[in-house]
Amino acid sequence: MSTVLRGAAQLLARADVPNPDPDAAALLAHAWGLDAAELARRRLLGDTVPAGVTEVFAQLIDRRRQRVPLQHIVGVAAFRHLELQVGPGVFVPRPETELLVTEVLEELERQNNAHEPLVIDLCSGSGAITLSLATEHPRLSIIGVEREAEALNWSLKNLASVNLGDSTAELISGDATTFADDSPGVRGSADVVVTNPPYVPDEAVPRDAEVREHDPAAALYGGHTGLEIPALIIRQAEKLLRPGGFFIMEHSEEQGPAARELIMSTASLRQPATYPDYTGRDRYTVAHRVTEDDL
């Protein structure tokens, strides 16, 4: 088995696949119908890969050499404690976005609301943030808003496969740049608004083929500077939040100062602060909606 894996990893490396060794192992486990632990055990024991598995594995490696995302090939993406179904038409969730979930959970604990918290996730995509919050918080209500039909379909599949416990989650079709204007019933009622919006500048085409050719453009590009769409979403978030409510938005490492400026340009979002991801790069900015007395 080790020889098979080494050969596959070398093929992936020649195709400039970023993580050839773990990708090869993940694809062999998928072809064999094993989890990672069982594959590692069989590798340690020197088991031989069955001929039928080898044939399927070769096909999967060929797809990965063509830079089809690993998550599209195996059909799932890991996000916190969830395995989310993903494929063409939906943005593959990234590890750094997990930090937004941690931040929201900590904020809800600080708020210590007597009522059931309401969270709105704008640009909910695969449902990664929505479903993580719904399954990790003891009791909340969350609305995930997604404009793109294919992405929403993936998120609904994921919703059907998780146990929400005492929380409720609703995944709906809607435009994050107009949602508050279109939904007067929830204006001024959200305890938290969270968003991972499209924020790549239109001309900054990603270098990685997995992103450039397979992540949907609607989930990537945020306008000329990358912040035109986020700016519209910030305005909607202000309308959705109750006084004292919390806003959190992911962005690129260069966009923290501009994101804070956009927040300060609103009528009632204040105290913007930017925080880093696992690599130390600025990744998200937070703020609170204050009352008129606080301004």
Side-chain angles (χ1 to χ4, degrees):
M1 184 192 306
S2 294
T3 301
V4 171
L5 281 171
R6 278 197 301 272
Q10 289 170 359
L11 290 173
L12 296 180
R14 292 190 196 111
D16 295 323
V17 171
N19 301 294
D21 291 303
D23 280 16
L27 290 172
L28 180 57
H30 184 67
W32 208 340
L34 307 174
D35 61 25
E38 179 60 17
L39 181 73
R41 186 188 73 82
R42 296 193 185 195
R43 184 177 188 180
L44 184 65
L45 295 176
D47 285 8
T48 300
V49 181
V53 172
T54 301
E55 182 178 346
V56 174
F57 180 50
Q59 295 170 357
L60 300 183
I61 290 294
D62 188 56
R63 291 186 66 198
R64 189 68 186 100
R65 288 174 65 200
Q66 297 172 42
R67 305 300 292 272
V68 176
L70 174 68
Q71 297 87 349
H72 284 199
I73 298 172
V74 302
V76 295
F79 188 84
R80 293 180 71 91
H81 68 290
L82 298 176
E83 270 202 343
L84 299 167
Q85 299 177 69
V86 296
V90 69
F91 185 79
V92 174
R94 312 297 203 254
E96 55 266 27
T97 305
E98 296 179 358
L99 292 169
L100 276 69
V101 176
T102 299
E103 194 75 42
V104 171
L105 291 171
E106 291 177 353
E107 170 65 19
L108 290 173
E109 186 174 356
R110 288 190 292 267
Q111 289 184 7
N112 193 26
N113 296 303
H115 60 273
E116 180 179 285
L118 171 63
V119 178
I120 298 177
D121 176 15
L122 299 175
C123 307
S124 54
S126 65
I129 293 174
T130 295
L131 298 178
S132 291
L133 288 170
T135 55
E136 293 186 49
H137 191 276
R139 186 180 181 87
L140 60 73
S141 177
I142 186 164
I143 301 170
V145 181
E146 176 55 51
R147 185 185 67 181
E148 302 300 314
E150 287 182 284
L152 182 61
N153 286 338
W154 283 108
S155 69
L156 291 170
K157 291 178 185 178
N158 290 319
L159 174 60
S161 67
V162 300
N163 179 5
L164 299 180
D166 291 327
S167 293
T168 60
E170 187 179 5
L171 292 161
I172 64 173
S173 176
D175 189 330
T177 67
T178 61
F179 183 67
D181 298 327
D182 299 336
S183 308
V186 293
R187 288 181 63 153
S189 61
D191 297 283
V192 173
V193 173
V194 55
T195 183
N196 180 15
Y199 54 75
V200 177
D202 290 346
E203 301 301 320
V205 179
R207 288 174 293 179
D208 290 341
E210 291 87 344
V211 180
R212 183 179 65 249
E213 298 174 12
H214 296 280
D215 276 329
L220 291 176
Y221 301 109
H224 177 68
T225 68
L227 286 173
E228 282 78 6
I229 290 177
L232 296 174
I233 291 173
I234 288 171
R235 298 287 178 176
Q236 295 295 300
E238 181 186 22
K239 297 175 183 179
L240 292 167
L241 287 167
R242 64 164 175 81
F246 180 72
F247 174 66
I248 177 169
M249 180 181 76
E250 182 173 322
H251 50 70
S252 74
E253 62 183 294
E254 305 91 358
Q255 293 172 335
R260 294 192 297 273
E261 285 185 20
L262 288 171
I263 286 168
M264 289 302 296
S265 72
T266 67
S268 62
L269 292 179
R270 292 294 182 268
Q271 304 164 355
T274 301
Y275 295 94
D277 60 19
Y278 300 114
T279 68
R281 298 180 176 91
D282 282 352
R283 183 57 57 192
Y284 62 92
T285 292
V286 307
H288 285 85
R289 185 183 173 203
V290 299
T291 65
E292 290 185 5
D293 293 339
D294 297 320
L295 293 171

